[in-house]
Amino acid sequence: MSLYYDAVSVLTAPSSTGGSFKSRLYNSRTLKASPAQVYALITEAAKWDILLKEVIEHAGILKIEPKLTPLLSLLLVYDHLLSKNGIAAPASHPLRQAVERHKIRLKGEFTKARVRRACATIPQLKEAVRKEKLAQGVGASTGAVYPRWVRVNNVRTTMEEQMKSTFAEFETVDSLAELVVGGDDKLKRMRVDPHIPDLIAVAPGVEFSNTPAYKNGEIILQDKASCFPAYLLLGEDWTGGDLIDGCAAPGNKTTHMASLLSKARSRSIANFDPKKRKTPSHIISMDASPVRAKTLQKMVSTAGADSLVTVLQGQDFLALDPADPRFENVTGLVLDPSCSGSGIIGRDDVPQFTLPASGKPTPASSKNENGQGKKRKRNESSESTPPSTKTSSTPESENDAPTTEITQDRLTKLSNLQYHIVSHALSFPAATRITYSTCSIHLTENEAVVERILDSDVAKRRGWRVLRRDEQPRGLRMWSARGVKEEEPNGSGKIEGGVVALSEEEREGCLRCWPGDEEGTGGFFVVGFVRDGSQDGDDTGIMNGKAGSDSGMMGGDREEEGEGDDNEGEDDGSEDEWEGFSD
């Protein structure tokens, strides 16, 4: 029964624990069940909660079974009625018996619920419940629309092929708002993104996990903002040398680079000119965490990019020697180091559960005669506490939400690490282009780092500057939100970010995403650095050491989120822990 107790403990953990729901789950050291099983149970049961509440209340089992709490009953009844293998516990276990001795009544109420919704099949019933949840406004905490972003993977397919298959039944709309209005009669709507090639927005509730395209790695769920770095670096016709993703797990940016390279190759083959033939670019991808590096390798393989990508397992980017012959042809680097995560939307993204009424005394009545609460057993520890009522509005976020309080001191420490990482990248001998990104809204980690980089000796010696707006790929030149001069009111009032001395041209070269606007992204920052090659630069000052203990903090594009997501924590090598491409 540890599966259900673990699920309850994750759902009822205080929000002060920090981090996204998925990252907390995978980082937990207290779970006895597989994190993948716990995650699957919670997310699937959450899709049925309003129907399960109805069934449990009508069956009246909470009034009869003292061992069951509302949350435990919902999870157990979900597995009993809807899981192929039933309740994951021995037949003699008291909690399983507490549910199964009412199986006739529960099944009868479930059938009545299905008949009331005029659904002949379980898939039809699932869709009906989804519509009910949308109609009730579940998850609609703000006016902003946060769609599900789907990137077509050109290593395995093309946009044209996906339009004829995966998205054949989708109606094209002109705005994100149109994805979610009138959902009852227009469930399948899509918007082809105007800024990032091969990126599609669909309504938040649309599922792809069971589609052949998702399982085969033909489509990847990736937040729009996290697509900016690779596209800013490569554009649509990369003609440079090899590439490095220095903080890569779980791999969305790496596989996005592979997709852009594959598309560029297909275009060059179609217009083949023997005189311009050159060695194809290769991607070298790494993450300091061995566990996360395994996830990175899985994602690269499933995306079909093994021939394009070499994964350096557990490699700290700051420990690389830029003079190593392996990197002599590296001309482009993507850097997405650890940051405060202040731009991530829906930090407390525990799935919402509508729980059945318990029909039992309130917690206050459980006090003893001295007014002290009774000591609880494990299965009673916090199960009666309602889980968060917030629903994730986050797209497939790649970065972990903050696990500590965001203070100016914390931001300063992170910005120091970020500065060291970017400075180290500037020293690679053949490098001519770099992108630096964070999922932070704070000037300290963004424009202030850019200013500091431009003032560094290595940048001045080697001729590095900010990639101007007019030099950016066509789609990103259209992006309106640009760098700021001082801390914006969108940030925390406790943060005093100061003012940067970047020129207007340099700030125009920085791209910003703000949560809560009409673009459907979280907070994000990305900038490109470019070296024209007019200076060869004597790199005697190359940094070869780590940036103190903080170097282990390089997490790269983390799942979420998503994101997702974001398979973190201990890895026992089990294939069951692979969660695909949502970070």
Side-chain angles (χ1 to χ4, degrees):
M1 292 298 292
S2 60
L3 171 63
Y4 305 99
Y5 294 140
D6 284 343
V8 167
S9 69
V10 170
L11 286 167
T12 57
S15 58
S16 59
T17 302
S20 67
F21 158 58
K22 194 169 185 180
S23 67
R24 291 200 305 269
L25 194 157
Y26 275 87
N27 282 327
S28 174
R29 298 295 184 270
T30 62
L31 298 184
K32 292 186 176 181
S34 158
Q37 288 182 304
V38 177
Y39 181 77
L41 172 63
I42 292 172
T43 54
E44 289 303 311
K47 297 173 185 177
W48 292 90
D49 61 340
I50 60 173
L51 182 138
L52 294 172
K53 172 184 184 294
E54 182 181 317
V55 169
I56 292 168
E57 288 182 343
H58 288 179
I61 64 173
L62 288 177
K63 297 177 181 179
I64 304 171
E65 300 293 346
K67 292 184 179 296
L68 295 180
T69 64
L71 184 51
L72 255 183
S73 69
L74 193 144
L75 297 171
L76 289 161
V77 171
Y78 166 77
D79 266 0
H80 173 66
L81 293 174
L82 293 159
S83 173
K84 182 171 69 172
N85 297 319
I87 296 174
S92 59
H93 196 283
L95 285 183
R96 177 170 173 175
Q97 291 179 343
V99 172
E100 292 188 343
R101 60 173 146 255
H102 306 286
K103 60 183 179 182
I104 295 176
R105 187 179 305 172
L106 288 167
K107 186 174 181 180
E109 293 298 338
F110 182 77
T111 300
K112 291 177 184 177
R114 188 172 69 175
V115 171
R116 280 194 291 270
R117 291 165 175 82
C119 296
T121 66
I122 295 298
Q124 288 176 352
L125 182 60
K126 185 176 183 179
E127 183 59 29
V129 172
R130 189 185 74 83
K131 290 181 185 179
E132 287 180 34
K133 290 170 73 71
L134 285 175
Q136 293 174 12
V138 174
S141 57
T142 70
V145 176
Y146 294 104
R148 168 152 286 185
W149 296 98
V150 184
R151 176 170 60 79
V152 174
N153 175 22
N154 288 287
V155 178
R156 292 200 181 275
T157 185
T158 65
M159 187 74 159
E160 292 72 21
E161 290 174 357
Q162 291 305 305
M163 287 297 148
K164 295 176 182 177
S165 55
T166 306
F167 299 98
E169 298 179 1
F170 282 68
E171 174 193 359
T172 301
V173 297
D174 297 323
S175 69
L176 297 182
E178 292 177 83
L179 295 174
V180 295
V181 296
D184 267 2
D185 57 344
K186 297 287 185 182
L187 293 175
K188 292 190 174 181
R189 294 177 170 181
M190 58 172 278
R191 183 186 186 230
V192 177
D193 189 72
H195 303 105
I196 303 294
D198 307 314
L199 185 68
I200 298 167
V202 299
V206 178
E207 288 288 344
F208 288 96
S209 58
N210 292 322
T211 65
Y214 178 84
K215 293 178 179 179
N216 297 333
E218 295 173 359
I219 60 172
I220 292 173
L221 306 182
Q222 181 175 355
D223 182 20
K224 175 177 177 173
S226 76
C227 294
F228 280 27
Y231 183 45
L232 183 62
L233 183 75
L234 275 69
E236 297 182 58
D237 292 290
W238 175 255
T239 56
D242 291 339
L243 302 159
I244 282 180
D245 187 347
C247 326
N252 279 327
K253 293 178 181 66
T254 290
T255 57
H256 191 195
M257 286 196 289
S259 179
L260 291 167
L261 286 181
S262 184
K263 187 175 183 179
R265 284 186 192 177
S266 298
R267 193 179 292 117
S268 65
I269 291 173
N271 304 291
F272 180 67
D273 183 349
K275 295 180 181 179
K276 297 182 180 180
R277 185 173 183 176
K278 58 184 294 186
T279 303
S281 299
H282 193 76
I283 302 167
I284 302 168
S285 190
M286 67 202 70
D287 196 272
S289 164
V291 173
R292 291 174 59 81
K294 290 181 181 179
T295 300
L296 168 62
Q297 183 64 71
K298 288 178 182 179
M299 185 168 186
V300 167
S301 298
T302 308
D306 286 310
S307 64
L308 297 171
V309 179
T310 295
V311 174
L312 303 182
Q313 298 279 347
Q315 174 66 58
D316 187 338
F317 174 71
L318 284 173
L320 294 181
D321 179 1
D324 190 312
R326 291 178 296 173
F327 313 129
E328 62 183 0
N329 296 319
V330 170
T331 58
L333 298 94
V334 168
L335 304 169
D336 185 54
S338 289
C339 68
S340 66
S342 54
I344 297 175
I345 50 177
R347 286 186 206 164
D348 191 12
D349 57 350
V350 180
Q352 174 177 345
F353 280 85
T354 301
L355 297 177
S358 66
K360 296 176 182 178
T362 61
S365 65
S366 65
K367 294 181 179 180
N368 62 23
E369 58 186 8
N370 296 320
Q372 298 174 329
K374 297 178 181 178
K375 185 176 180 179
R376 300 177 182 179
K377 297 179 182 179
R378 179 184 175 194
N379 65 315
E380 298 173 337
S381 59
S382 58
E383 293 158 12
S384 60
T385 304
S388 168
T389 56
K390 291 184 179 180
T391 299
S392 172
S393 56
T394 310
E396 275 55 38
S397 173
E398 298 191 351
N399 295 283
D400 293 331
T403 56
T404 58
E405 181 184 0
I406 301 175
T407 63
Q408 187 60 53
D409 181 61
R410 171 70 174 159
L411 294 180
T412 299
K413 290 180 180 179
L414 285 167
S415 68
N416 287 336
L417 171 63
Q418 294 151 0
Y419 167 76
H420 285 306
I421 290 171
V422 180
S423 297
H424 189 56
L426 300 181
S427 298
F428 280 73
T432 58
R433 186 168 289 202
I434 292 168
T435 60
Y436 164 65
S437 60
T438 74
C439 54
S440 171
I441 60 174
H442 292 303
L443 178 138
T444 302
E445 299 177 275
N446 298 328
E447 288 86 357
V449 171
V450 174
E451 180 182 40
R452 191 176 171 189
I453 289 295
L454 295 177
D455 287 340
S456 68
D457 289 340
V458 64
K460 293 177 178 179
R461 185 175 68 249
R462 307 202 69 216
W464 286 98
R465 62 175 175 82
V466 169
L467 181 70
R468 299 190 308 269
R469 182 171 184 169
D470 66 338
E471 298 173 311
Q472 294 171 1
R474 181 178 64 254
L476 293 182
R477 288 199 300 269
M478 298 162 50
W479 188 256
S480 59
R482 295 285 155 169
V484 299
K485 186 176 182 179
E486 56 188 328
E487 192 76 27
E488 289 283 277
N490 307 60
S492 168
K494 299 179 182 179
I495 303 300
E496 298 177 1
V499 178
V500 293
L502 296 176
S503 68
E504 183 178 354
E505 181 179 82
E506 289 166 342
R507 283 187 281 111
E508 276 290 296
C510 301
L511 295 97
R512 282 274 197 167
C513 297
W514 296 104
D517 66 11
E518 70 280 2
E519 297 292 350
T521 70
F524 200 82
F525 174 88
V526 63
V527 63
F529 294 100
V530 64
R531 183 168 71 95
D532 296 319
S534 57
Q535 304 180 46
D536 53 12
D538 179 10
D539 295 316
T540 55
I542 288 176
M543 296 168 51
N544 290 320
K546 297 182 181 181
S549 61
D550 274 340
S551 65
M553 293 164 56
M554 290 195 322
D557 53 350
R558 295 162 293 278
E559 237 176 240
E560 249 265 313
E561 306 204 303
E563 250 80 7
D565 125 55
D566 71 345
N567 302 340
E568 295 183 293
E570 295 299 322
D571 189 337
D572 62 3
S574 170
E575 291 299 314
D576 288 340
E577 295 194 6
W578 171 237
E579 288 296 323
F581 293 106
S582 54
D583 15 354

